[in-house]
Amino acid sequence: MGRLLVVIDIQKEYQTPGRPYHIAGVEASLANAERLLVHARQRGWPVVHVKHLQDGEVFGRRSPYSDYIAGFEPRPGESEYVKGDYSCYSSPEFAARMKRHLADEVVVIGYGSTKCCLATIVDGYHRDQKFLFVRDASNAKRSEAFDERSLHAYATDILASYAKITDTAALLKA
């Protein structure tokens, strides 16, 4: 069994104050995501980047806020998929790629834990995929009822039914 890193929606929408999906305090999860991306590359894990694009202003195809956050762009040899719905499996190319990795552990980092990460992991779970969700290299955007930290904690509790949960330090030691 090998490992594969899936980097979900690390886009400027989440980093830019005033944008609808801005995550307050996103810097800590970005720093951990960057450490894991470096770790995966050093170990030769396949790296898969997924970008959310849709019509409209938020995650819009022409919006500069839909670009990857600097440093999270795919490198040569890494895969990139575009999705227009929450689950990465909404991309037929992503779904086909993941079928080839059923024996591997899929490490998931990114945004948002309550929508895209959650939808992807639940969808993949029902396709026999094995996941490891890195809670401190991911986050959620606030809602009307909950702040980012609380909502992310609730999502992580739900995700524990579908994936192993870990943090950056533990994964870097493994």
Side-chain angles (χ1 to χ4, degrees):
M1 173 173 78
R3 284 199 166 138
L4 169 87
L5 179 66
V6 175
V7 183
I8 299 177
D9 299 349
I10 299 192
Q11 294 168 257
K12 293 177 183 177
E13 286 286 353
Y14 292 103
Q15 184 186 39
T16 308
R19 296 296 297 167
Y21 279 78
H22 174 252
I23 297 173
V26 73
E27 297 80 16
S29 63
L30 276 175
N32 287 326
E34 184 177 28
R35 289 172 59 206
L36 289 170
L37 186 56
V38 167
H39 179 81
R41 287 171 172 159
Q42 288 174 343
R43 287 179 175 53
W45 299 356
V47 177
V48 174
H49 300 264
V50 182
K51 182 187 278 191
H52 191 105
L53 292 178
Q54 58 191 29
D55 296 328
E57 182 184 335
V58 178
F59 295 105
R61 295 181 188 284
R62 293 183 196 90
S63 171
Y65 303 108
S66 295
D67 291 339
Y68 291 108
I69 292 172
F72 289 93
E73 304 87 356
R75 290 188 178 171
E78 296 177 350
S79 300
E80 178 183 26
Y81 300 96
V82 173
K83 64 180 178 63
D85 206 344
Y86 297 131
S87 174
C88 295
Y89 289 90
S90 66
S91 162
E93 297 83 9
F94 177 88
R97 167 71 184 268
M98 297 310 288
K99 270 187 162 182
R100 299 192 311 264
H101 292 278
L102 289 175
D104 297 325
E105 184 172 54
V106 179
V107 178
V108 174
I109 61 173
Y111 305 119
S113 57
T114 58
K115 291 184 179 180
C116 299
C117 294
L118 178 66
T120 298
I121 289 172
V122 170
D123 198 354
Y125 174 86
H126 293 291
R127 298 169 190 247
D128 298 320
Q129 211 82 57
K130 297 167 203 72
F131 291 101
L132 182 62
F133 180 68
V134 187
R135 65 177 152 228
D136 64 348
S138 306
N139 213 326
K141 108 175 188 38
R142 71 190 170 286
S143 71
E144 289 185 29
F146 300 101
D147 64 23
E148 289 90 342
R149 178 174 283 165
S150 298
L151 200 53
H152 180 60
Y154 297 139
T156 301
D157 284 348
I158 293 167
L159 282 165
S161 295
Y162 303 96
K164 294 178 193 173
I165 307 297
T166 193
D167 59 29
T168 301
L171 186 54
L172 292 177
K173 288 180 189 174

